[in-house]
Amino acid sequence: MVSRIIDAHAHVGRFGSWANVSCTPEELLEKMDASGVERAVLFAPDNSLVRKAVRMYPKRFVGYVWPNPHDSEALSLVKESVKRWGFKGIKLHPLVHAFLPTDEEVLPIVEFAEKERIPVAIHSGHPPFSLPWSIGELAEMYPEVRIVMLHMGHAHGVYIQAAINTAKKYDNIILETSGVSMHSKIKEAVEKVGEGRVVFGSDYPFHDYSVELRKVDVAGLTRRQKDLVLRENAKMLL
Ligand SMILES: [Zn+2]
């Protein structure tokens, strides 16, 4: 297994309701250390938690801002996070905040990403708002913006297939592996979409490193492909 892994998707804070998971930056660091993970991209609904974690551990964490596009302050939060706090990307969750990736409120945020040349990571895998086809429509509108499709379709085979097919169509889409239910699709994504366009993510604390890394390990990748997925490809997202 590759060491000095980069995790393109992790969280701090508490996620209540049905999820009932939480973690502190220190708990996450302990998990990362035990799993050979050097750095992790962090986002949380409470952006101040990410800000604090990045400030405390700048060599280990990279912050992405997570706005609610329906909020009138969304764009100013995004701008402040990137310009003042040094956040390196934007995370959007269409399902949680009930919007389509191409909705009017989202576009100024994506245009800011385009101007700043930062990636936009978008949750995928759940109807009606977070499906690969809709993320593809956004990718088509903004070919210069790198769009990270988080979970690459997640736990439904049909959506995973759609994630791969959509990423094949738009070369600004990068697939992220956390929570994907079929290890074999990681290999298929690398082969069909390209070995430079798949990145490892854990989605900790929703998923554990031991499980998420194992999927990459048994996917049938070559040593070089593993190196790219677990580390090298994610560098462009930092
Ligand atoms: Zn997540």
Side-chain angles (χ1 to χ4, degrees):
M1 187 53 79
V2 177
S3 66
R4 303 175 66 212
I5 292 162
I6 298 172
D7 178 0
H9 181 168
H11 303 285
V12 284
R14 166 148 187 79
F15 295 81
S17 183
W18 58 268
N20 192 27
V21 291
S22 65
C23 83
T24 64
E26 289 72 25
E27 282 164 357
L28 176 56
L29 281 173
E30 206 174 294
K31 282 281 178 183
M32 288 164 65
D33 289 343
S35 309
V37 179
E38 184 185 86
R39 279 192 285 176
V41 174
L42 281 191
F43 26 85
D46 181 351
N47 288 282
S48 69
L49 290 179
V50 175
R51 185 182 167 186
K52 277 182 213 145
V54 171
R55 199 196 282 145
M56 281 178 78
Y57 307 102
K59 292 202 165 107
R60 310 297 304 276
F61 297 137
V62 173
Y64 279 22
V65 55
W66 182 349
N68 175 358
H70 293 306
D71 182 345
S72 59
E73 303 292 301
L75 185 60
S76 47
L77 169 73
V78 169
K79 285 183 178 169
E80 193 194 357
S81 302
V82 173
K83 299 214 182 253
R84 267 189 60 198
W85 305 352
F87 281 28
K88 302 292 186 202
I90 299 166
K91 187 262 172 72
L92 295 172
H93 204 312
L95 183 75
V96 162
H97 290 130
F99 62 89
L100 279 169
T102 52
D103 276 355
E104 214 180 318
E105 303 96 305
V106 184
L107 306 186
I109 295 170
V110 180
E111 277 155 22
F112 177 75
E114 185 177 39
K115 207 174 102 220
E116 296 294 319
R117 302 183 158 278
I118 55 174
V120 179
I122 309 181
H123 176 91
S124 79
H126 297 96
F129 293 112
S130 288
L131 294 181
W133 301 278
S134 302
I135 296 169
E137 288 173 7
L138 184 72
E140 186 172 14
M141 283 170 73
Y142 296 97
E144 299 300 318
V145 179
R146 281 160 299 158
I147 303 218
V148 186
M149 198 188 288
L150 301 173
H151 311 299
M152 56 179 284
H154 221 301
H156 195 303
V158 171
Y159 299 155
I160 300 167
Q161 192 59 50
I164 291 172
N165 292 346
T166 304
K168 224 174 119 183
K169 225 166 130 188
Y170 304 110
D171 56 17
N172 51 327
I173 294 180
I174 295 136
L175 298 175
E176 180 271 319
T177 61
S178 69
V180 70
S181 55
M182 294 174 69
H183 67 280
S184 57
K185 290 293 189 185
I186 296 173
K187 173 79 170 172
E188 193 180 322
V190 165
E191 282 175 348
K192 288 190 177 164
V193 176
E195 59 182 22
R197 289 210 281 135
V198 181
V199 295
F200 166 75
S202 72
D203 200 11
Y204 193 83
F206 288 81
H207 306 287
D208 196 83
Y209 281 111
S210 56
V211 179
E212 294 303 310
L213 285 169
R214 188 81 183 124
K215 281 189 285 185
V216 177
D217 213 21
V218 299
L221 303 177
T222 64
R223 206 190 147 85
R224 176 187 150 75
Q225 288 168 340
K226 243 189 235 180
D227 215 57
L228 290 169
V229 169
L230 292 174
R231 177 175 170 83
E232 294 305 318
N233 293 343
K235 285 182 178 169
M236 63 174 157
L237 306 176
L238 310 179

